[in-house]
Amino acid sequence: MDSFEAVVAVLLWITTGWRATKVWRKGQDRTLWWTFFGLAMMMTLRLPAGRALDQLTEVTDLSYLLKHLFGGVLSSAALLAFLRRVSGQQGGSPVAKRMRVILPFVTAAAMAVLFFAELQPYETRAIFQDPTARLALLAYTAVFLGFLSASLLSGMRVCWRWGRDSSDGALSWGLRVIGAGLAAGVVYALTRIAALVAHMTGDGILPGDLDDYVSTYLLMAALLLIVVGSSLPVLGKLRTWRAERRALLRLHPLWCALTEATPSVRLDPPRGLATERLDPRNVHGRLYRRTIEIRDAALALSDYAPADIRERARQHVEARGLAESRATVTTEACWLAAARRSKLRGDTPGSNTEHQPTRGGGDLRSEISALTQLSDAYHSDLVRDIADACDRLPEKQT
């Protein structure tokens, strides 16, 4: 069991560290970060690190109190605040808002008072031998699990309601999975309080240490479901990032070819494809800028593609059997290739006011789709052959 708990603790610390790089640097809402920080601290204190802390401070079972404060009070309060923010339920009366802040502190203070006043210096199992300490443990557990259960039940209502109504698929399923994790947490709390009462009146609900094993598995299931649920919206963003990165790399050859002839449209100096692949930063912004620079370059090159070149390109494309949208894209790729060569040769530009973007242009997605098709056509053998034929037309006329 210790190895399994260690794996969960590592996962929680990885999640905490990953989220820290976002929320603390960018000043975003930090409630979810505090949730995972509290859970990570709780899991760490369940490991030998907790016993080491007890020996270092010479306070018996101090880790017992701290893991409840971190994992129960801090995490549940922060998670509930996060869910309220996500669902838009941050409002309420001033009294309700103050109670959301005061209640966790009152709970933590009551637990600390009961712990240091009556539960010290006993070890956890020895408490059952002292009637006063036993009642203090029951009160301590009731305060802790009562607050935890109330917070989890409130969070479940938010998750199931907004998970059902959300139009964002990843967010919807994420909230539902978090809700399932909170439900497992409620069952954990009920199991713990039932086991404690049973130990006080007899030998427990289940024989041996099965009570502890069952509650531990419920706790692990709750933690894993909360981690998975909170990560699902991130997976949606990751899919978007991967799609935009793929489009960024696919447009790189076309961008290089066109901006080589029109370097003034570049915001930044050109970089090699290998450098583009290795840079994961600001993919959306770079892709947005790339689409603009490709269109600006095409507009600048349009003066080097007079009407006769465009007509010749259209005729060649139709002669190859292309039609409709594919013919339109291939025609534009042809005259762009011919115009680029003309510009690099130093030809005198003409004046063309008829150039319009080929399809796309309504939003970034449609623009990426249109430019990706243009890039594929531009680097095809068909366009290269037609551009060579169109490129010879001015020489014949001079």
Side-chain angles (χ1 to χ4, degrees):
M1 181 62 71
D2 285 347
S3 59
F4 180 66
E5 292 184 0
V7 171
V8 175
V10 170
L11 289 175
L12 288 169
W13 279 117
I14 290 174
T15 306
T16 302
W18 172 69
R19 290 190 176 275
T21 61
K22 297 176 58 180
V23 300
W24 290 98
R25 185 179 69 245
K26 299 181 180 179
Q28 297 177 354
D29 180 78
R30 296 166 184 171
T31 51
L32 190 59
W33 182 86
W34 281 112
T35 299
F36 284 109
F37 174 76
L39 294 176
M41 286 293 297
M42 178 195 70
M43 288 305 304
T44 303
L45 291 171
R46 289 175 63 93
L47 299 172
R51 292 187 288 273
L53 177 66
D54 297 341
Q55 295 172 359
L56 180 65
T57 60
E58 297 183 351
V59 178
T60 305
D61 275 351
L62 176 62
S63 59
Y64 181 84
L65 170 66
L66 292 179
K67 72 181 181 182
H68 290 161
L69 293 180
F70 279 112
V73 180
L74 173 62
S75 292
S76 59
L79 180 60
L80 188 56
F82 167 76
L83 293 173
R84 286 198 182 101
R85 183 185 64 80
V86 170
S87 62
Q89 291 186 329
Q90 289 180 294
S93 65
V95 175
K97 292 181 179 179
R98 284 196 294 270
M99 287 301 297
R100 293 171 190 168
V101 177
I102 294 174
L103 189 58
F105 284 102
V106 171
T107 301
M111 291 169 59
V113 168
L114 289 168
F115 180 83
F116 286 106
E118 297 295 343
L119 302 184
Q120 286 295 303
Y122 299 107
E123 292 186 0
T124 304
R125 295 185 181 277
I127 291 174
F128 293 101
Q129 308 302 320
D130 185 290
T132 302
R134 187 168 56 187
L135 290 176
L137 177 61
L138 181 61
Y140 172 96
T141 306
V143 170
F144 166 58
L145 295 181
F147 173 82
L148 178 63
S149 299
S151 299
L152 296 181
L153 287 170
S154 181
M156 284 175 56
R157 288 196 298 270
V158 174
C159 286
W160 290 117
R161 176 182 175 185
W162 291 97
R164 182 184 65 248
D165 298 339
S166 175
S167 58
D168 186 331
L171 177 60
S172 174
W173 280 106
L175 288 173
R176 291 179 182 183
V177 174
I178 291 176
L182 298 182
V186 171
V187 177
Y188 159 80
L190 295 176
T191 301
R192 292 303 296 169
I193 192 69
L196 177 62
V197 173
H199 275 297
M200 290 183 174
T201 58
D203 295 330
I205 302 175
L206 299 173
D209 293 330
L210 285 181
D211 290 345
D212 290 335
Y213 283 115
V214 170
S215 61
T216 298
Y217 280 120
L218 286 170
L219 177 60
M220 296 302 105
L223 294 177
L224 290 175
L225 286 170
I226 290 172
V227 170
V228 171
S230 64
S231 301
L232 283 180
V234 178
L235 294 178
K237 294 180 180 179
L238 179 60
R239 285 195 297 269
T240 300
W241 178 86
R242 289 182 60 187
E244 291 185 339
R245 178 179 177 274
R246 187 164 53 249
L248 182 73
L249 297 177
R250 286 186 67 181
L251 292 178
H252 183 267
L254 178 64
W255 175 82
C256 284
L258 299 186
T259 60
E260 180 186 11
T262 57
S264 61
V265 304
R266 294 173 179 161
L267 179 63
D268 299 310
R271 302 190 299 178
L273 185 58
T275 305
E276 291 275 15
R277 289 182 182 278
L278 296 174
D279 187 357
R281 300 171 300 172
N282 192 25
V283 170
H284 179 80
R286 288 156 59 198
L287 177 60
Y288 181 72
R289 182 66 199 177
R290 179 149 298 172
T291 61
I292 292 176
E293 292 180 355
I294 290 175
R295 285 304 188 189
D296 287 348
L299 186 62
L301 290 173
S302 64
D303 289 340
Y304 292 85
D308 51 355
I309 291 293
R310 295 168 187 259
E311 179 61 23
R312 185 74 175 270
R314 185 186 65 78
Q315 292 174 359
H316 276 287
V317 168
E318 291 179 353
R320 298 298 180 94
L322 303 182
E324 298 181 348
S325 61
R326 188 181 176 192
T328 304
V329 172
T330 306
T331 300
E332 182 175 15
C334 289
W335 67 253
L336 276 174
R340 173 182 176 273
R341 298 178 189 182
S342 177
K343 175 71 163 57
L344 292 175
R345 282 197 306 265
D347 296 343
T348 302
S351 178
N352 178 46
T353 60
E354 299 178 357
H355 175 65
Q356 296 293 331
T358 301
R359 301 192 304 163
D363 53 41
L364 183 59
R365 178 178 297 181
S366 61
E367 184 73 345
I368 291 171
S369 177
L371 292 180
T372 300
Q373 295 178 51
L374 180 63
S375 179
D376 293 342
Y378 184 92
H379 293 93
S380 66
D381 293 336
L382 174 64
V383 167
R384 191 174 299 109
D385 294 341
I386 297 175
D388 288 340
C390 292
D391 198 29
R392 291 191 293 270
L393 180 61
E395 297 176 359
K396 292 180 179 181
Q397 292 179 340
T398 54

